[in-house]
Amino acid sequence: MTDTLISSQVTCLAGLTFLPVITWVMDKLPSYYPSNRSHLGSVERPPARRKKLSRVFIFCGAAAAVWLWSASHHTFGPKHSVKLPLHAAETLQKCGMLHVLPGPPPDFAQRTQSDRYVPGTRATLLKNASVWTGDGELHSTDIVLDRGIIKFVGHASEENLHAYEDFLTVDVGGSWVTPGIVDMHSHLGVGSVPELDGASDTNSLKGPILPWLRSLDGLNTHDDAYRLSVSGGVTTANVLPGSANAIGGQAFVIKLRPTEERTPSSMLLEPPYTINDTRVDPSLPLRWRQMKHACGENPSRVYDYTRMDNIWAWRQAYDTARKIKESQDTYCAKAIAGEWNGLDDFPEDLQWEALVDVLRGRVKIHTHCYETVDLDDFVRLTNEFKFPLAAFHHAHETYLVPGTLKQAYNNTPAVALFATNARYKREAYRGSEFAPRILAENGIDVVMKSDHPVLNSRYLLYEAQQAHYYGLDADTALASVTSTPAKVLGLDHRVGHVREDIVVWDSHPLALGATPKQVWIDGIAQIDNPYISKKPIAFQSPPTTPNFDREAEAAIKYQGLPPLMPTPAKADAIVFTNVSSVYERTGSNIREVFSTRENEPGMVVVQNGEIVCYGTHHVCLVPMTSLGQTFESFDLQGGSISPGLVSYGSPLGLEEIQGETSTHDGNVLDPLSVNVPKILKGNEVVLAVDGLQFAGRDTLLAYRAWCNIGDHTSFIPRGAAHALQDGAVIQDTAALHVNIGHSTSRSVSTQIAALRHLLLDGTGETPFDHVAKGEIPLVVQVENADIIASLVKLKHEVEAARNVDLKLTVAGAAEAHLLAKELGEANIGVIVTPSRSFPEAWEMKRILPGPPLTEESAITNLLAHGVKVGIGILEQWSARNTRFDAAWAALESHGRISKSEAIALASTNLEELLGVQPSASLSGDLVATRGGSILDLEAQVVGVISSRRRSVEWL
């Protein structure tokens, strides 16, 4: 009888092992009620099955307790008599949890407040919202935030609100509301902003396999980027270790709200309960863990590994974990069977416990992995050791091998991508802007990510906007930064949907430049006195994006390297129809010379690269008729003709792959830091034109978005095959460029002293003498306001000594806004690089972030003081986005920057600041866009009209 009783109880205890694995029917929070629902905050009753299972769970727990009490006091039969060890109860609890998977408790949907609720927080009613919930759209909707969660979404009546004695009402006036942005790949808080040696905690270099490390242990709560990221709508971030290691360590998900505790732990969202204990509490539901792995070039470079070494390091590590797991399973099988003889302590190892949990399916693995060979390697690894993969990150070649991803163990991983950031390493060289849409079309979850601070996570939504522009459907694009990353992280019961954190936007979230009006995290508004720049009414709808089907097909056909060279028009005469606007240079300005009125479509007639007519069909009928039958016709579908743009600030045209030195022009010797070879004595200034590279992929992609290079010391149009081609180089020497800052071994005062000497004590033959005579501009790359102030004084000093007007431009200029008045008075131009400032280094710390944090941006502030302003970029891949940067500057200017002035920021203003002579300007080089102007996210660049080459090229 006793043996039978024990057997029955052991079976029930074994049931504890599998019971929590049952898929619960979860109620979604909040419930979306129609207007006739009366009770605010009520939720549907759980299915009856939940009650039954709960009773079974309680019964089994009680039975286990009775059995353990009985077993600890008795022996059973002479043959099998055994005295249970003191740790038996703890061990059996641990064994009972071995196969339990993480997830919220069954009653999570019934919670009445968040575990992150701050007592005293007032309830908030948002009225008249257009809501993208994470699942779909609701209009003219009310939202109630209370006790850190969203209690209601629907049409709130007075009866709904009777339970709230004190609440704040905010009428959002039809504005769009979305879940808070979820950044699934961030180094926020461990990759310091500004970058400082004392707060660099992204990577450990103590070995390739480090699963025991935790990003939480390096999380800096004083990072300047938290506030900036929140101002972009980011509410949740998965803080990953870096990619220097094959296994870099454990990641932690945080909310970006500053807490009263001011500690890293207080920022965590559902951390594993073992964060303060190495033992699992069986009374608490397991929570998902996150871990970082990395393939390819990064660990290979750091540890002087080949890919074969990296894979072997993984296999060794997972074999170690597998042996521990198998020993635990064997141990527990004996313990549950009552075979305690010979059983010592439970077999575990703190160093490897996280990797054992990976094999038990309780860790979300995030793998930095770019190209096919590495993707295939890692998929095989998942199958060899039987663990699921949450997502491949970066993953630039996943769109070429979606079938390989579907072979991963147990599930198809998501893919976390940049939108257009590629070609910076060999393994990123085949990256495509069409990857998100191609992967989605193959049924693979797409996540857009920042890799902050690689990209400023404040603009993570911009990644989704670009993915949408290149063909990802609107709902999937929005989900890629909200509900999809939340699902991949195992946190979609809390974030990624309208459940806890929300953002109110000033325009549709997929419209270019969409900016939060307010952000709520845990029911608390995050932006004090937000500044809002009014957007055009059209921006309240998602943009209608171009059709890139042909280009997406080519990306696959050519394995990521489709032909990019332009195609010459077959005829000398081109007639553009359905033209909405025409912009042209008039001196150093841009002017709109034609715009459609009363829906009468416009026409532009081009012959031999020259516009011979623009206007209505009636105005251009005669010039068009004179062409006879020998012309091509092109429908711009409401598009535009405008001057092409200029790219400044990156090595575009001087290197092809940033990570491959064999593709570079090489380092320019700094006379202050390096001993210049004697052969260069007296000729220390080099000419960028001598190192130009034509027909690189980034340069051609920039050309297809229509940007020329106005960088270094030369001015070069793109689209040429080589330097000897007619018109390939517009101007050999445009400006003299120098850098002054804190990043060299020489003091700032030494650098300025050297510049003073070169300008005042020259021989008359050097480029510095040409600057001192006012013949060419001096462009100084400088960020810090104090250094800029010294340059203003130096300009006055040289002008007084030389009796000339010194042409001085400062570039970078993160803190130039602090001297806007003085720069305007001194006639010093500024190239803001990047156009949306970011405090990457200490000398860039005092940025002017713009709306919603400040009313003015750096650009509007400088323009208001009469400063000539241009915009630049940092990396060559982003040259193609220059037109969007110019548009963005206008969108956050409160209407003070017109479209013409926005185009000038990236064209005529830059030409003037960089010393492009009027005779050499690109006044005849125009760009044709279909579906909108060059500034519109709806528009596609389709052709270049070049009077210099007397031709039109199709793109």
Side-chain angles (χ1 to χ4, degrees):
M1 182 67 180
T2 303
D3 289 337
T4 304
L5 177 62
I6 292 174
S7 176
S8 173
Q9 291 164 344
V10 169
T11 301
C12 190
L13 186 65
L16 283 172
T17 303
F18 300 101
L19 184 59
V21 183
I22 294 172
T23 302
W24 303 99
V25 180
M26 291 291 296
D27 294 311
K28 295 184 177 180
L29 276 179
S31 297
Y32 299 115
Y33 300 114
S35 57
N36 61 352
R37 287 299 290 268
S38 60
H39 182 60
L40 179 64
S42 65
V43 294
E44 296 179 17
R45 295 182 62 83
R49 184 175 68 151
R50 182 178 298 157
K51 281 190 174 182
K52 293 178 181 178
L53 289 174
S54 297
R55 288 195 292 267
V56 171
F57 190 95
I58 293 169
F59 172 78
C60 284
V66 170
W67 176 74
L68 287 172
W69 179 85
S70 175
S72 64
H73 291 78
H74 299 85
T75 58
F76 306 114
K79 187 174 182 180
H80 300 290
S81 296
V82 59
K83 180 77 173 178
L84 292 185
L86 293 177
H87 61 76
E90 179 183 346
T91 298
L92 287 169
Q93 286 178 337
K94 186 175 294 187
C95 290
M97 296 293 289
L98 284 185
H99 302 287
V100 176
L101 293 178
D107 61 349
F108 186 81
Q110 280 74 51
R111 65 178 180 154
T112 58
Q113 73 177 42
S114 169
D115 56 347
R116 295 178 51 81
Y117 167 62
V118 177
T121 302
R122 292 177 68 189
T124 301
L125 169 65
L126 302 185
K127 296 185 66 65
N128 302 320
S130 299
V131 185
W132 190 84
T133 65
D135 302 299
E137 294 182 8
L138 299 171
H139 295 276
S140 300
T141 299
D142 304 328
I143 302 173
V144 174
L145 300 87
D146 179 43
R147 295 185 171 271
I149 61 177
I150 292 170
K151 293 286 185 68
F152 177 86
V153 176
H155 299 285
S157 65
E158 290 186 11
E159 186 179 359
N160 295 143
L161 300 171
H162 75 276
Y164 296 89
E165 296 181 359
D166 179 32
F167 61 88
L168 175 68
T169 300
V170 179
D171 191 332
V172 301
S175 295
W176 282 96
V177 175
T178 70
I181 302 299
V182 179
D183 191 352
M184 199 172 81
H185 186 131
S186 178
H187 305 292
L188 184 63
V190 294
S192 175
V193 173
E195 184 177 358
L196 295 167
D197 291 342
S200 179
D201 288 292
T202 307
N203 288 294
S204 170
L205 303 181
K206 296 300 188 289
I209 302 294
L210 303 169
W212 45 87
L213 299 187
R214 307 183 300 184
S215 66
L216 172 65
D217 299 325
L219 192 67
N220 172 22
T221 59
H222 303 297
D223 198 294
D224 285 1
Y226 290 118
R227 173 172 172 260
L228 295 173
S229 296
V230 169
S231 76
V234 180
T235 59
T236 305
N238 184 30
V239 181
L240 294 157
S243 53
N245 314 101
I247 301 180
Q250 299 164 51
F252 286 81
V253 180
I254 64 170
K255 285 199 180 185
L256 274 57
R257 173 178 65 82
T259 64
E260 292 182 1
E261 298 88 344
R262 301 187 180 93
T263 62
S265 295
S266 64
M267 299 177 72
L268 295 176
L269 176 62
E270 292 206 352
Y273 289 111
T274 53
I275 200 67
N276 291 314
D277 194 346
T278 57
R279 296 165 297 180
V280 174
D281 185 341
S283 68
L284 299 173
L286 287 179
R287 290 171 167 178
W288 285 107
R289 306 172 75 175
Q290 318 287 329
M291 187 180 289
K292 176 70 175 292
H293 289 41
C295 308
E297 293 183 27
N298 285 17
S300 294
R301 182 180 66 253
V302 170
Y303 293 102
D304 195 24
Y305 269 18
T306 65
R307 283 174 165 80
M308 294 181 289
D309 294 316
N310 211 47
I311 290 293
W312 175 239
W314 270 325
R315 295 182 69 208
Q316 278 187 309
Y318 273 107
D319 190 51
T320 299
R322 179 167 60 185
K323 290 175 181 176
I324 296 172
K325 174 183 176 293
E326 289 173 350
S327 66
Q328 291 175 351
D329 291 343
T330 300
Y331 182 100
C332 285
K334 292 181 178 180
I336 291 173
E339 299 173 6
W340 291 98
N341 287 332
L343 288 183
D344 296 320
D345 291 337
F346 183 78
E348 55 189 341
D349 187 327
L350 182 61
Q351 195 169 21
W352 295 101
E353 59 84 22
L355 214 58
V356 174
D357 254 7
V358 172
L359 298 182
R360 296 198 182 281
R362 304 201 287 210
V363 182
K364 299 286 189 175
I365 297 296
H366 302 269
T367 302
H368 160 122
C369 211
Y370 283 81
E371 58 183 322
T372 301
V373 58
D374 297 318
L375 299 168
D376 187 65
D377 286 345
F378 202 86
V379 165
R380 282 189 282 104
L381 187 76
T382 68
N383 285 296
E384 180 180 2
F385 291 96
K386 295 180 171 47
F387 64 89
L389 170 63
F392 279 123
H393 291 238
H394 300 305
H396 281 57
E397 291 189 16
T398 48
Y399 72 99
L400 295 173
V401 288
T404 297
L405 273 59
K406 294 178 181 181
Q407 294 172 14
Y409 177 76
N410 197 50
N411 72 296
T412 299
V415 177
L417 299 159
F418 294 129
T420 53
N421 184 359
R423 293 166 297 283
Y424 47 87
K425 294 191 292 183
R426 190 198 67 84
E427 61 187 5
Y429 194 63
R430 295 176 188 269
S432 172
E433 60 271 35
F434 306 110
R437 64 168 283 179
I438 294 170
L439 288 164
E441 288 166 358
N442 280 274
I444 294 173
D445 285 337
V446 172
V447 174
M448 307 309 296
K449 48 94 171 121
S450 74
D451 195 12
H452 181 96
V454 173
L455 296 184
N456 179 0
S457 63
R458 177 183 181 185
Y459 302 116
L460 176 54
L461 184 62
Y462 181 40
E463 296 298 292
Q465 292 166 0
Q466 293 175 80
H468 179 235
Y469 174 76
Y470 289 110
L472 189 64
D473 75 83
D475 282 343
T476 306
L478 286 175
S480 74
V481 291
T482 53
S483 55
T484 303
K487 179 182 72 173
V488 175
L489 292 168
L491 291 167
D492 53 336
H493 58 290
R494 298 196 61 164
V495 297
H497 298 263
V498 179
R499 292 176 180 161
E500 289 191 10
D501 310 321
I502 57 172
V503 184
V504 179
W505 300 93
D506 64 4
S507 50
H508 190 280
L510 290 179
L512 183 67
T515 301
K517 289 183 172 182
Q518 188 54 272
V519 178
W520 277 269
I521 302 178
D522 301 327
I524 302 173
Q526 297 299 300
I527 305 174
D528 296 330
N529 302 314
Y531 295 92
I532 300 165
S533 182
K534 188 174 182 180
K535 303 292 176 62
I537 189 65
F539 278 56
Q540 296 306 319
S541 300
T544 302
T545 56
N547 186 327
F548 287 107
D549 290 350
R550 179 173 57 87
E551 290 84 352
E553 291 171 2
I556 297 172
K557 176 181 178 180
Y558 293 97
Q559 299 189 62
L561 302 176
L564 297 175
M565 289 297 290
T567 302
K570 296 178 181 178
D572 293 332
I574 309 293
V575 175
F576 292 99
T577 60
N578 287 325
V579 180
S580 65
S581 59
V582 178
Y583 297 85
E584 67 175 21
R585 286 176 171 84
T586 56
S588 60
N589 298 312
I590 302 293
R591 184 168 63 97
E592 186 180 39
V593 295
F594 171 76
S595 178
T596 54
R597 297 289 184 268
E598 299 178 358
N599 297 321
E600 186 176 6
M603 178 181 290
V604 174
V605 180
V606 175
Q607 191 164 23
N608 294 322
E610 295 277 3
I611 292 181
V612 296
C613 181
Y614 58 78
T616 63
H617 183 273
H618 175 74
V619 170
C620 291
L621 181 60
V622 174
M624 183 185 71
T625 304
S626 68
L627 300 175
Q629 301 297 317
T630 59
F631 67 86
E632 291 185 51
S633 179
F634 197 101
D635 184 352
L636 289 185
Q637 301 172 19
S640 181
I641 305 289
S642 60
L645 307 180
V646 176
S647 177
Y648 168 82
S650 76
L652 186 66
L654 289 177
E655 70 179 32
E656 178 69 350
I657 304 174
Q658 182 182 348
E660 296 290 340
T661 56
S662 63
T663 72
H664 296 187
D665 174 50
N667 294 325
V668 176
L669 299 177
D670 179 357
L672 289 179
S673 302
V674 180
N675 292 324
V676 177
K678 291 182 179 179
I679 195 171
L680 293 178
K681 191 69 176 178
N683 294 285
E684 290 87 355
V685 176
V686 300
L687 299 177
V689 69
D690 296 329
L692 289 177
Q693 301 177 27
F694 288 79
R697 297 199 70 78
D698 277 318
T699 57
L700 288 172
L701 286 167
Y703 185 67
R704 296 176 78 85
W706 225 76
C707 276
N708 284 315
I709 300 177
D711 204 349
H712 326 301
T713 58
S714 307
F715 200 84
I716 312 105
R718 306 318 306 150
H722 53 77
L724 300 180
Q725 187 173 323
D726 186 33
V729 177
I730 300 298
Q731 190 172 322
D732 283 344
T733 302
L736 177 63
H737 296 250
V738 298
N739 295 336
I740 297 181
H742 296 284
S743 58
T744 73
S745 59
R746 307 300 180 188
S747 69
V748 169
S749 53
T750 300
Q751 296 171 60
I752 292 179
L755 182 58
R756 178 183 292 110
H757 167 69
L758 291 167
L759 292 174
L760 292 176
D761 304 322
T763 63
E765 301 298 330
T766 72
F768 287 97
D769 294 309
H770 294 301
V771 169
K773 294 174 184 177
E775 295 172 354
I776 62 173
L778 175 66
V779 180
V780 183
Q781 179 71 28
V782 57
E783 305 288 356
N784 178 259
D786 300 305
I787 302 175
I788 295 172
S790 295
L791 291 172
V792 173
K793 292 191 292 184
L794 179 60
K795 180 178 188 289
H796 293 322
E797 184 180 346
V798 173
E799 289 177 335
R802 294 280 189 147
N803 194 28
V804 297
D805 291 327
L806 191 71
K807 298 176 182 177
L808 178 61
T809 298
V810 295
E815 296 185 352
H817 64 93
L818 296 172
L819 295 164
K821 176 177 176 290
E822 292 77 8
L823 291 169
E825 292 171 348
N827 195 28
I828 296 174
V830 176
I831 305 176
V832 181
T833 308
S835 59
R836 296 180 295 283
S837 300
F838 180 63
E840 181 180 356
W842 188 265
E843 60 186 355
M844 306 162 70
K845 187 173 173 64
R846 295 174 289 180
I847 66 166
L848 191 63
L853 296 178
T854 61
E855 183 175 9
E856 300 288 343
S857 68
I859 293 172
T860 58
N861 178 265
L862 291 163
L863 289 172
H865 288 87
V867 178
K868 178 73 72 172
V869 177
I871 59 174
I873 62 171
L874 295 176
E875 297 181 86
Q876 59 264 38
W877 60 266
S878 63
R880 68 190 316 184
N881 297 328
T882 299
R883 64 191 187 101
F884 300 141
D885 294 338
W888 204 314
L891 288 168
E892 63 180 15
S893 72
H894 309 282
R896 287 177 289 172
I897 298 177
S898 67
K899 282 192 172 184
S900 296
E901 291 166 333
I903 294 171
L905 290 174
S907 58
T908 53
N909 287 13
L910 271 179
E911 292 171 15
E912 181 177 339
L913 294 171
L914 296 172
V916 179
Q917 300 300 318
S919 60
S921 73
L922 301 183
S923 58
D925 282 9
L926 304 169
V927 58
T929 54
R930 179 172 55 199
S933 78
I934 197 170
L935 300 176
D936 294 331
L937 197 58
E938 292 90 343
Q940 179 182 7
V941 178
V942 293
V944 174
I945 304 165
S946 177
S947 60
R948 293 178 301 102
R949 296 197 293 270
R950 296 174 58 82
S951 67
V952 172
E953 293 177 328
W954 302 121
L955 302 174

